[in-house]
Amino acid sequence: MSEQLIIFDTTLRDGEQSPGASMTKDEKVRIARQLERMRVDIIEAGFPAASPGDFEAVRAVAETIQDSTVCGLARAVEKDIDRAAAAIEPAKRGRIHTFIATSPIHMQNKLRMTPEQVLERAVWAVKRARQYTDDVEFSPEDAGRSEIDFLCRVLEAVIAAGATTVNIPDTVGYNLPHQFGALIKTLREKVPNSDKAVFSVHCHNDLGLAVANSLSAVLNGARQVECTINGLGERAGNAALEEIVMAVRTRRDTFICDTRIDTTQIVPASRLVSNITGFPVQPNKAIVGANAFAHESGIHQDGVIKKRETYEIMRAEDVGWAANRMVLGKHSGRNAFRTRLSELGIEFKSEAELNDAFERFKDLADKKHEIFDEDLQALVTEAGLEQADEKLKLVYLKVASETGTRPQASVTLTMNGVKKEAHAEGGGPVDAAFKAIEAIVNSMSQLQLYSVSNITSGTDSQGEVTVRLEKAGRIVNGHGADTDIVIASAKAYLNALSKLVTTTARTHPQAGAAADGV
Ligand code: KIV
Ligand code: ZN
């Protein structure tokens, strides 16, 4: 019997800290349901003190999820811990994750606190969190650059104060695998009460080493890994859940532990997160990239046909690639539609919502005769976006483009219910459509990213467009999907513009001392 490696997913918290990846409450609940289906042990649902919206989202996840522990992040301050406790209160199993930085550079420049003050504050925070739940995790932020003796003192003290998990973050992705593994080994040996807590790791990918560092830690006794779907996360991201899980599962000869993860849910989870955040998955990404199991060269294909193991160390179907199948078509009825969506974890709040989604499905089925799970996911995301989009709605779009002339676009929108029209020329049809929209909205935002990818294969596939806009330091992502990519682009642009108008300020958990409230 192998030991359990606990999978702590932070897609909804650290993942959401990627610029532009913010998610609505309903989107978070959809992702949380998929994580639960995948048998993730702990879902870090957010940072409740960031804003009222973040609080509500964590609470909604806590109300929905039954089989995974739901966790809320809190800085080591009273307000954050109390908010996190209130947000996870409905959870069947709830955890508070509190943290404070322990590296000299963070203590001096960010917190402006002495090491003794930090130690005292860490103990205080754990004790306060323990008043609400028995499941308390503590992280010494920037542990990867902290002094070992001080780190040992802090860990010993927080475990004595009641922390049941101690998480060692390589916050800035600075460590190398042999060093990080050695750090975990040393901490487990030197901290006198280390056997009273689970050792966890949280690695960032700034040098592309997040997974390697996490696995090195596991080989040295860490029994929880914090990770995200598709490696989403602050800056270069976090360790990718799918890579950690499949490395441990595939190399059972080396690891003495394994996870509870249902690996066939990995690809659906990857698609859902990519669809909701608009962060595409690169084709050569391990496990979940479109090419991860594709064989180009004849030699490889021949080998795989004769004996799969010649070139494949994992089976595509074991990580969920088989789920990519035609599920519904033009003649499918409402019941089949509702049933398949329910199998995907999507429930409708009302008959009206179901009817609206079914109408969209019928429109899509007129344009595309095979409807895949990914199409259904995009359709539901679209429906959610439009509800949030009430301020800006696309009514009509006409583009004209032919060789030798400048493309033109005519757009009609409703802006707060008022119909407005504009016409513009552009370098291409998408450029013309965006210029016409901007002529109406006058947002003065900067386009930072425009990307199109196909949701399924074939030229009748829906194009999924992501648009990233920046204005006065605020970054938002918008998404749109349609079999016509110019329409998908206009929808994505409007979605981003709507977010720019409606999103409210949020506190970043790792912001400076003033915002820390310390
Ligand atoms: O990277 C980090 O240090 C974090 C902490 C809040 C755990 O995300
Ligand atoms: Zn982090």
Side-chain angles (χ1 to χ4, degrees), residues 13-14 73 97 99 139 141-142 167 169 171 202 204 510:
R13 198 280 294 170
D14 212 314
L73 182 72
H97 174 191
F99 73 99
S139 293
E141 190 191 2
D142 205 16
N167 176 49
T171 303
H202 174 111
H204 278 272
Q510 288 153 282

Side-chain angles (χ1 to χ4, degrees), residues 7-11 35 38-42 211 225-232 238-248 259 261-263 265-266 269 285 287-288:
I7 293 295
F8 176 114
D9 181 280
T10 182
T11 307
L35 295 173
M38 198 163 66
R39 293 167 45 91
V40 156
D41 299 291
I42 297 133
V211 169
V225 174
E226 301 200 353
C227 44
T228 57
I229 304 291
N230 300 337
L232 201 66
N238 290 74
L241 177 146
E242 59 277 9
E243 296 177 24
I244 299 285
V245 168
M246 290 316 291
V248 171
T259 70
I261 297 292
D262 173 358
T263 59
Q265 294 298 329
I266 285 179
K285 164 83 181 61
I287 322 287
V288 293

Side-chain angles (χ1 to χ4, degrees), residues 36-239:
E36 181 182 40
R37 194 170 310 115
M38 198 163 66
R39 293 167 45 91
V40 156
D41 299 291
I42 297 133
I43 299 173
E44 188 166 49
F47 172 45
S51 71
D54 287 78
F55 175 86
E56 290 305 331
V58 177
R59 204 170 156 92
V61 172
E63 279 162 357
T64 311
I65 297 303
Q66 298 297 311
D67 297 333
S68 312
T69 297
V70 177
C71 175
L73 182 72
R75 292 166 300 185
V77 296
E78 188 171 320
K79 163 180 147 279
D80 281 26
I81 294 170
D82 295 356
R83 285 299 270 172
I88 62 157
E89 191 266 323
K92 210 163 158 193
R93 282 189 302 277
R95 172 179 293 192
I96 297 175
H97 174 191
T98 186
F99 73 99
I100 190 163
T102 51
S103 64
I105 186 167
H106 275 230
M107 289 190 291
Q108 280 157 26
N109 300 293
K110 181 176 97 161
L111 299 175
R112 298 187 199 285
M113 287 168 81
T114 64
E116 292 315 310
Q117 287 170 326
V118 165
L119 192 143
E120 199 182 308
R121 173 67 64 141
V123 168
W124 172 88
V126 168
K127 285 189 176 157
R128 178 138 196 121
R130 277 298 299 249
Q131 289 174 7
Y132 296 108
T133 170
D134 291 344
D135 189 350
V136 172
E137 172 170 327
F138 174 80
S139 293
E141 190 191 2
D142 205 16
R145 292 188 300 172
S146 299
E147 281 165 3
I148 188 81
D149 289 341
F150 180 58
L151 202 49
C152 287
R153 281 181 61 212
V154 172
L155 293 182
E156 182 183 355
V158 294
I159 294 171
T164 42
T165 300
V166 284
N167 176 49
I168 311 303
D170 182 17
T171 303
V172 290
Y174 176 71
N175 282 237
L176 300 176
H178 70 285
Q179 286 171 343
F180 198 63
L183 172 65
I184 301 302
K185 186 169 187 283
T186 309
L187 291 174
R188 290 184 62 238
E189 282 167 3
K190 280 185 118 183
V191 173
N193 50 1
S194 66
D195 59 324
K196 303 277 184 305
V198 173
F199 271 70
S200 167
V201 288
H202 174 111
C203 298
H204 278 272
N205 206 29
D206 299 66
L207 292 173
L209 294 170
V211 169
N213 284 339
S214 305
L215 294 175
S216 173
V218 172
L219 290 171
N220 284 284
R223 285 295 175 266
Q224 174 179 291
V225 174
E226 301 200 353
C227 44
T228 57
I229 304 291
N230 300 337
L232 201 66
E234 187 89 49
R235 303 182 311 280
N238 290 74

